[in-house]
């Protein structure tokens, strides 16, 4: 599930393995090629990406990491931040 505000996106997921050591959240504005990366603890089931531009489309992925290596990235999640002054919305 994904929630959006004018300057943030919040991802929620279900942890499928207790073997994960951490997650990597990747995101980028849809019109850019390079990814921004955040590493978060394996115990997290959500993450809020902050300081985004309003009314902008983003692509987001989640990668699980354990002692063997990285999982394949999740399917691309496409979401658009809201216009400034708009309430949050679930996508």
């Amino acid at each position: 599930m994904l929630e959006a505000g004018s300057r943030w996106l919040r991802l929620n997921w279900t942890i499928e393995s207790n073997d994960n050591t951490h997650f990597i959240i990747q995101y980028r504005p849809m019109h850019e090629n390079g990814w921004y990366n955040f590493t978060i603890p394996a115990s997290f089931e959500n993450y809020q990406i902050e300081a985004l531009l309003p009314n902008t489309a983003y692509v987001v992925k989640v990668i699980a990491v354990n002692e063997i290596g990285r999982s394949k990235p999740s399917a691309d999640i496409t979401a658009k931040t809201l216009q400034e002054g708009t309430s949050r919305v679930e996508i």
Side-chain angles (χ1 to χ4, degrees), residues 22 27 56 72:
H22 60 279
Y27 77 95
T56 302
K72 292 182 181 178

Side-chain angles (χ1 to χ4, degrees), residues 47-91:
Y47 187 76
Q48 184 164 306
I49 304 168
E50 306 262 350
L52 302 178
L53 298 172
N55 199 33
T56 302
Y58 287 88
V59 180
V60 182
K61 303 179 189 203
V62 178
I63 300 169
V65 181
N66 62 25
E67 292 188 17
I68 297 172
R70 293 180 175 194
S71 70
K72 292 182 181 178
S74 65
D76 287 356
I77 303 164
T78 303
K80 188 174 183 178
T81 52
L82 304 178
Q83 291 184 359
E84 201 74 75
T86 305
S87 298
R88 74 182 187 129
V89 74
E90 288 186 15
I91 301 171

Side-chain angles (χ1 to χ4, degrees), residues 2-63:
L2 185 72
E3 294 177 72
S6 61
R7 294 188 176 268
W8 55 266
L9 295 172
R10 183 180 303 130
L11 295 144
N12 299 295
W13 60 87
T14 302
I15 297 174
E16 296 181 9
S17 171
N18 291 329
D19 296 332
N20 296 327
T21 58
H22 60 279
F23 292 104
I24 299 170
I25 308 296
Q26 295 185 320
Y27 77 95
R28 65 178 172 83
M30 189 170 279
H31 65 278
E32 293 182 12
N33 292 323
W35 292 94
Y36 297 97
N37 295 291
F38 285 96
T39 300
I40 61 170
S43 60
F44 283 29
E45 292 184 349
N46 61 64
Y47 187 76
Q48 184 164 306
I49 304 168
E50 306 262 350
L52 302 178
L53 298 172
N55 199 33
T56 302
Y58 287 88
V59 180
V60 182
K61 303 179 189 203
V62 178
I63 300 169

